[in-house]
Amino acid sequence: MCGIAGIIIKQRSSLNLPELARSISQLIKHRGPDGEGFLAITPTEQTPVRGKDTPTFNRQDLKHIPLSNTAFPEYATGVFAHRRLAIIDLNDSGHQPMCAPSAKAWITYNGELYNYKELRTELAQYGFTFVTESDTEVILNAYLYWGQECVHHFNGMWSFCIYDVTKKQYFASRDRLGVKPFYYINTKDYFAFASEQKAFVKSGLVKAQFATEQLSQYLISNTLEYSKQNFFKDILELWPGENLILDAEQNTCHTYTYFSTNELLNSSKSTYSEKDLIE
């Protein structure tokens, strides 16, 4: 279990990004006791920044390792935060937020790919190089090769957000069954995401107000999570098997389904062989 979060400014705002990011990171600290990292994003550059709980690194040769004296840029329009629980690649190189060796994409990621070694071998055949032993870097290179279709190649559980430096877009995804959480807020001024709802509430980003319809459905029908709107007003949930695309410059945000268990279960059995159904 790791913790991820991010805030992207869509138009001029009084939000203090560094302060908010640090507050949210502390609120999800229990999800990742092995490290803390930040990425500040401006229209022209991406800067890794240390946090209060960022460990001391032996390596300084990797682009995603923050230098000790780096501060948040004054004109950051976005920030990623990450709380690390080290499972794969326990070394410095596994620190997040992470960038691909080409620095064309950055990610904050919570999850585990079970087939990352197979994908790493395949991507190496396509000319990709790797500087870490982590599944995080595999996701980044897979995105650079397959684009949004990369999720169809993943076997695992995940919740992540990628910043595409070339396209100036953010790409978020949640695994097929929704094992890993992804909550978000989308207003005219900003977009924010986090692993837990309380990160938004306790940081003061939103008020602790019930969403009336969801409360009614729970009290009357004992129904939970039947829609993307959560118990807290203004907090939405990326649905299992769903991707999200945010273009902050064009002020557009949309989601789409890449996998649906209902479609699979309701399809004609004649479409699938026994092997296909098991897979």
Side-chain angles (χ1 to χ4, degrees), residues 13 36 53 95 104 138 142 151 168 171 197 212 231 253 267:
S13 171
E36 178 185 36
D53 300 319
H95 175 76
K104 292 181 179 179
V138 171
V151 294
K168 307 295 184 186
F171 171 62
Q197 300 171 76
T212 307
F231 252 27
C253 178
S267 296

Side-chain angles (χ1 to χ4, degrees), residues 21-253:
R22 295 186 191 281
S23 173
I24 289 175
S25 176
Q26 286 298 313
L27 289 166
I28 58 174
K29 178 178 180 179
H30 58 282
R31 299 184 66 90
D34 298 324
E36 178 185 36
F38 299 95
L39 175 72
I41 301 167
T42 74
T44 58
E45 63 182 0
Q46 302 78 49
T47 306
V49 181
R50 292 180 59 87
K52 175 184 177 183
D53 300 319
T54 303
T56 301
F57 297 111
N58 296 316
R59 298 188 62 174
Q60 297 292 326
D61 58 313
L62 301 177
K63 296 175 183 177
H64 64 280
I65 299 295
L67 301 176
S68 58
N69 59 348
T70 303
F72 272 97
E74 185 177 353
Y75 300 106
T77 55
V79 60
F80 280 175
H82 188 268
R83 278 287 176 172
R84 186 185 183 197
L85 177 64
I87 301 294
I88 299 175
D89 191 356
L90 307 183
N91 300 312
D92 292 354
S93 57
H95 175 76
Q96 291 191 54
M98 183 185 293
C99 67
S102 65
K104 292 181 179 179
W106 289 80
I107 190 173
T108 181
Y109 157 61
N110 169 30
E112 183 176 354
L113 289 191
Y114 308 134
N115 64 333
Y116 80 98
K117 291 184 178 179
E118 292 86 346
L119 287 176
R120 179 188 174 109
T121 299
E122 182 178 357
L123 290 164
Q125 295 173 350
Y126 301 144
F128 287 90
T129 58
F130 294 84
V131 297
T132 80
E133 297 298 323
S134 70
D135 56 341
T136 310
E137 189 180 18
V138 171
I139 292 178
L140 281 167
N141 281 332
Y143 170 77
L144 290 174
Y145 187 72
W146 287 300
Q148 298 167 25
E149 296 297 309
C150 65
V151 294
H152 295 290
H153 297 262
F154 298 159
N155 174 15
M157 51 184 179
W158 66 83
S159 175
F160 64 73
C161 187
I162 291 175
Y163 175 61
D164 188 316
V165 176
T166 304
K167 295 181 179 179
K168 307 295 184 186
Q169 287 183 347
Y170 295 86
F171 171 62
S173 181
R174 191 177 181 194
D175 63 77
R176 295 174 182 86
L177 301 182
V179 177
K180 295 300 181 181
F182 190 102
Y183 298 99
Y184 68 95
I185 303 169
N186 186 30
T187 74
K188 63 181 178 64
D189 295 324
Y190 69 89
F191 175 90
F193 66 90
S195 296
E196 298 184 9
Q197 300 171 76
K198 76 172 184 181
F200 299 135
V201 177
K202 290 192 174 183
S203 67
L205 203 54
V206 297
K207 294 181 179 180
Q209 296 178 319
F210 276 122
T212 307
E213 184 177 343
Q214 279 60 37
L215 178 60
S216 299
Q217 286 295 326
Y218 174 67
L219 294 176
I220 296 170
S221 306
N222 197 29
T223 304
L224 286 172
E225 294 195 327
Y226 70 94
S227 75
K228 295 181 183 181
Q229 171 64 59
N230 273 232
F231 252 27
F232 288 107
K233 185 180 178 182
D234 299 327
I235 298 180
L236 305 175
E237 182 177 1
L238 194 62
W239 220 234
E242 197 170 56
N243 290 340
L244 181 148
I245 306 295
L246 170 69
D247 188 320
E249 291 186 341
Q250 299 297 321
N251 200 15
T252 59
C253 178

